Amino acid sequence: MHMSERKTETVVENENKKMLEQVTRDFLADSDIDYSRLEKQLCLIAKSICSNNERNLTDVNILCEKIFEKLLNRLYDLELSPVSYDGPCNYPAVDLIDSKNKIAVQVTSRTDREKITATIEKFNKLNRDKFNNELDELYVLTLSDKKVKYKEDGKAKIKNGKIFLFRDNVLDFSKLLEEIKKKSTYDKKIVVEIYDILNMLFDSGELECIF
């Protein structure tokens, strides 16, 4: 390796270290954490997930299910919990369920319409008892900071007669940020608490490959 190449790598490493310090909790006081910093953190997470998936490092996707379970519960006052993977899966294409509020969520790094349509089709294969007694609504959380515009008439019928609207039932980081910003006007702790939840991803070491 030439000296110039080593120098370039060192510069990149230093820049990445500074970027990591901007979001790592150990370097921040509560007063340092605001909406702008949270927005930057989510953007970095989205890029990291994309980078990991390009390298076929998909363990982070499983971890994201656990992290965003906590985030969604805090943000929307839900009681989501992971689907059990012990034995046969009784909830195809679903990662999180809230039996009390009858909500199901799939967490995915894909944003294409085909993926979402396939999720709906698998979800509709649930037997009638599960729809009537356990689940009522389906949401898809895409792990992306890119706002995807689906067709205005983008919708699908759920087996229980409800309508899945792409503009409402597909969540992404931009929608999460909008909700956080709205609630932060009266919930003064929400930005810091969600920041701490997301920071678990960095603490895990699963995202460090991009730095």
Side-chain angles (χ1 to χ4, degrees):
M1 182 182 293
H2 296 295
M3 184 64 68
S4 59
E5 291 177 346
R6 291 197 188 98
K7 186 175 181 180
T8 300
E9 285 189 0
T10 301
V11 170
V12 171
E13 287 175 0
N14 289 338
E15 289 178 350
N16 287 335
K17 183 179 180 181
K18 289 180 181 178
M19 184 183 299
L20 181 59
E21 288 180 358
Q22 290 176 4
V23 298
T24 301
R25 195 64 168 95
D26 291 343
F27 294 89
L28 301 172
D30 285 0
S31 57
D32 295 324
I33 300 172
D34 55 14
Y35 177 82
S36 176
R37 195 178 290 276
L38 179 60
E39 186 177 26
K40 183 183 295 184
Q41 185 192 42
L42 272 171
C43 179
L44 188 56
I45 287 172
K47 290 179 180 178
S48 301
I49 291 171
C50 181
S51 176
N52 279 37
N53 287 335
E54 287 175 352
R55 294 174 171 82
N56 292 320
L57 303 174
T58 56
D59 285 351
V60 68
N61 295 341
I62 297 174
L63 178 61
C64 280
E65 293 175 14
K66 300 176 182 178
I67 300 300
F68 283 93
E69 166 211 335
K70 297 178 184 295
L71 186 151
L72 294 173
N73 284 341
R74 176 64 177 90
L75 183 56
Y76 295 104
D77 195 24
L78 298 174
E79 296 182 14
L80 292 164
S81 58
V83 171
S84 174
Y85 291 98
D86 297 330
C89 181
N90 295 318
Y91 300 93
V94 171
D95 299 309
L96 308 170
I97 59 171
D98 178 344
S99 297
K100 179 181 177 180
N101 294 292
K102 297 189 175 183
I103 290 174
V105 178
Q106 186 196 52
V107 181
T108 177
S109 58
R110 288 177 57 182
T111 62
D112 55 286
R113 189 186 182 97
E114 291 76 13
K115 169 64 175 178
I116 297 169
T117 299
T119 297
I120 296 168
E121 290 174 352
K122 290 179 181 179
F123 184 71
N124 278 336
K125 291 181 180 179
L126 287 174
N127 64 52
R128 186 174 298 277
D129 287 341
K130 288 192 179 296
F131 269 115
N132 292 340
N133 300 324
E134 298 179 37
L135 300 175
D136 193 44
E137 293 183 81
L138 171 66
Y139 289 86
V140 176
L141 172 62
T142 61
L143 303 173
S144 172
D145 61 341
K146 296 179 180 178
K147 199 167 187 176
V148 179
K149 291 186 177 180
Y150 302 100
K151 292 182 179 179
E152 289 298 322
D153 61 345
K155 59 184 178 181
K157 192 173 183 179
I158 301 297
K159 187 176 179 180
N160 60 3
K162 290 197 172 185
I163 301 298
F164 180 101
L165 296 174
F166 279 69
R167 69 171 182 268
D168 296 332
N169 292 70
V170 179
L171 306 174
D172 56 29
F173 287 0
S174 64
K175 288 185 178 178
L176 297 182
L177 283 166
E178 288 173 8
E179 188 69 14
I180 292 168
K181 190 172 186 178
K182 181 175 70 175
K183 291 189 174 178
S184 66
T185 59
Y186 58 86
D187 186 344
K188 301 305 180 183
K189 295 182 179 181
I190 194 167
V191 171
V192 171
E193 290 182 3
I194 288 182
Y195 191 96
D196 284 344
I197 290 171
L198 290 172
N199 203 60
M200 295 178 188
L201 280 169
F202 294 98
D203 289 342
S204 72
E206 294 291 347
L207 299 181
E208 64 182 3
C209 65
I210 72 161
F211 300 118

